Amino acid sequence: VTTQFVSGRIGFGAIVAVLTATMGDAAFLLLASEPITGLGVVALGVVVGTLSGLTVNYFHADDFLRPNKPEKAVCDVSCQKTSEDLTQVQQHAINLQGTFWQWMIVPGAVVALLGSFQVDINQWLGLGEERIEWLGALLAIVCMLLWALTKELQDYQSTVAEDDKKAGSHPMQKAAQDTNFVSAWVIMAFLAFELFNHFSGINLTESLAGWGLWMPLVGLAVGMLPGCGPQILVTGLYLSGAVPLSAQLANAISNDGDALFPAIAMAPKAALIATIYSSIPAFLVGYGYLFLFE
């Protein structure tokens, strides 16, 4: 959408609409853990994004803040990483990610579904106590290791954004890279939450509950950060009960996921103003839900 705006095919309202509607990779975590809530948040994002875009179109012309020389800003497939740009270790790790999930996707889905229906998998498979949990922990460490080996953490964007992918990669390979990225951030979020509770003796859920009136604003502020990593942390805290749904809603609407990075690169002024505009409906929805339902 940003590329189409820079090249003159769509207007500024579409940029605001898409940045407001997108939730990034945090949506996958929410859909997997609470499908009904996840679908509701995604649908809400679409409605709010559409209304926001139409409102912006009423006040601004289509070419509002469009860069003067779009031909230099647009990045196509040639900008993506190629195998020559990767070290040998990174290339092996990327290949292993695809192989890992080709073998794990079916048994992983079976275990996840059985767990969702409260089936005692250890008893069902005739395993010892917590054997499947230990196996899951081991495989989670493998996911994080494979993700770490493919990333060069040189700056903020490389840390919180997805890996670049080759255009000709197999769909399973692309899905594996994104899955390991999301898994790593989810694990870090829950691990940080549990370790803080354990060593501090402070119940983070009860402590944050005292912030009631400020929680939507906190979710909104985190949502202003580009990249999916911080947004996955907020969703992880919501799923653990540390933050209320109003904060999750404000974050979901204000955050732009990785979509903000190309927007900043190609049309920085438009990206900045669009992000500020997306915070307005996030504020209204977050506090509206807080006062009406919480």
Side-chain angles (χ1 to χ4, degrees):
V1 171
T2 305
T3 302
Q4 300 304 303
F5 168 70
V6 172
S7 61
R9 294 185 179 90
I10 61 174
F12 179 69
I15 287 286
V16 175
V18 76
L19 293 182
T20 303
T22 51
M23 187 181 171
D25 287 337
F28 292 113
L29 174 59
L30 193 58
L31 286 166
S33 303
E34 294 186 7
I36 302 300
T37 303
L39 289 172
V41 171
V42 170
L44 179 65
V46 172
V47 172
V48 174
T50 302
L51 294 175
S52 299
L54 291 171
T55 303
V56 168
N57 278 340
Y58 181 79
F59 290 101
H60 294 297
D62 284 350
D63 61 351
F64 180 68
L65 296 179
R66 180 174 287 138
N68 294 325
K69 296 181 179 180
E71 66 276 5
K72 293 184 178 179
V74 176
C75 178
D76 57 17
V77 175
S78 62
C79 297
Q80 298 185 11
K81 282 191 176 182
T82 64
S83 56
E84 288 78 15
D85 299 324
L86 303 171
T87 66
Q88 190 173 12
V89 172
Q90 287 176 316
Q91 189 60 57
H92 283 317
I94 287 175
N95 293 337
L96 284 173
Q97 288 188 70
T99 304
F100 176 85
W101 280 109
Q102 280 179 341
W103 285 95
M104 289 306 305
I105 189 168
V106 172
V110 170
V111 170
L113 287 171
L114 290 174
S116 298
F117 287 101
Q118 307 301 312
V119 175
D120 189 335
I121 303 170
N122 292 305
Q123 184 180 3
W124 187 62
L125 295 176
L127 302 175
E129 187 177 356
E130 294 190 350
R131 292 292 176 83
I132 202 71
E133 287 81 1
W134 279 103
L135 178 60
L138 177 63
L139 294 174
I141 292 172
V142 172
C143 283
M144 294 188 71
L145 178 62
L146 291 174
W147 172 75
L149 289 175
T150 62
K151 295 287 288 185
E152 290 185 5
L153 304 182
Q154 299 173 334
D155 50 25
Y156 175 80
Q157 180 175 348
S158 64
T159 304
V160 303
E162 300 168 346
D163 289 319
D164 293 326
K165 302 170 190 69
K166 291 187 293 183
S169 296
H170 191 278
M172 174 62 78
Q173 182 62 64
K174 295 179 180 180
Q177 288 180 253
D178 287 347
T179 300
N180 286 348
F181 164 78
V182 174
S183 298
W185 275 98
V186 170
I187 292 166
M188 286 189 284
F190 280 101
L191 190 60
F193 175 78
E194 294 295 342
L195 289 176
F196 180 85
N197 282 350
H198 178 75
F199 289 109
S200 68
I202 299 173
N203 189 314
L204 194 59
T205 304
E206 294 179 358
S207 299
L208 289 176
W211 288 33
L213 190 61
W214 298 98
M215 289 310 298
L217 198 60
V218 172
L220 187 156
V222 176
M224 301 286 283
L225 299 173
C228 290
Q231 323 313 331
I232 293 173
L233 285 174
V234 171
T235 302
L237 289 174
Y238 161 70
L239 293 173
S240 65
V243 301
L245 183 56
S246 57
Q248 174 66 75
L249 291 175
N251 176 263
I253 294 173
S254 68
N255 97 67
D256 310 316
D258 290 341
L260 193 56
F261 287 123
I264 292 172
M266 290 184 278
K269 291 181 180 179
L272 175 62
I273 298 302
T275 301
I276 293 173
Y277 280 178
S278 71
S279 68
I280 298 172
F283 182 89
L284 295 175
V285 171
Y287 276 99
Y289 188 89
L290 173 70
F291 291 126
L292 289 174
F293 302 106
E294 292 180 350

